[in-house]
Amino acid sequence: YMLEFGAVNEVDSSGKKVSGRSIASLAAEKGITWDQESTVVNGTGATKTRMDLYLKDTLTKECQGGGGRVPDSKSVISIETFVFTGAATIEYGNETLEMSATSLKYNVKSTNWPFCDQGNSLQVNMDVKVKGDK
């Protein structure tokens, strides 16, 4: 399978994109740092991949009307993926998830995003492509 992260958009409380507060494609951004390692999650082996995109040079427009701010050196979007080598049980919020071998789990985290308004949120577009058996 392949996991593609596309646009990241700041949206207002009605779901409308906030002008000038988007990243068109994470895949096209320069300055992304990558790290990959073998790890163990609840006793099961996994391959962990982490991507960090620091927003200081990416999201440069201020909010219309003067709200919000331009990102600083601590503004980052991080994506972690885990591909399990065997069955695993993991906790996610108030749920218990059963992961089978080759299952994919991902986390998307935004740190210090300079929202234009407290009621705004982030919308992350992604595609998961799975190659079928022939």
Side-chain angles (χ1 to χ4, degrees):
Y1 49 86
M2 185 168 60
L3 187 63
E4 292 180 351
F5 286 90
V8 176
N9 302 302
E10 181 173 339
V11 295
D12 64 19
S13 58
S14 68
K16 183 180 174 187
K17 290 182 188 178
V18 177
S19 178
R21 304 297 284 188
S22 297
I23 299 168
S25 171
L26 287 175
E29 290 298 320
K30 294 183 171 94
I32 292 176
T33 60
W34 294 91
D35 183 47
Q36 187 173 63
E37 64 182 354
S38 294
T39 189
V40 176
V41 178
N42 293 345
T44 301
T47 300
K48 174 184 170 185
T49 304
R50 180 181 174 105
M51 179 216 81
D52 291 315
L53 172 62
Y54 292 88
L55 303 172
K56 184 174 182 180
D57 297 321
T58 300
L59 191 69
T60 57
K61 292 187 178 178
E62 293 187 21
C63 301
Q64 292 181 347
R69 63 191 195 292
V70 174
D72 61 26
S73 62
K74 296 178 185 174
S75 301
V76 63
I77 293 177
S78 300
I79 299 171
E80 288 182 329
T81 63
F82 297 85
V83 178
F84 293 89
T85 60
T89 301
I90 58 173
E91 302 295 322
Y92 179 75
N94 295 329
E95 296 183 45
T96 300
L97 303 175
E98 299 296 328
M99 309 300 288
S100 59
T102 71
S103 289
L104 170 71
K105 180 183 182 308
Y106 63 90
N107 304 315
V108 179
K109 180 180 178 182
S110 171
T111 304
N112 208 27
W113 181 278
F115 287 103
C116 291
D117 185 89
Q118 280 186 329
N120 292 358
S121 60
L122 290 180
Q123 176 188 70
V124 179
N125 298 326
M126 60 174 267
D127 290 318
V128 178
K129 297 178 181 181
V130 179
K131 184 177 181 180
D133 292 334
K134 291 185 179 185

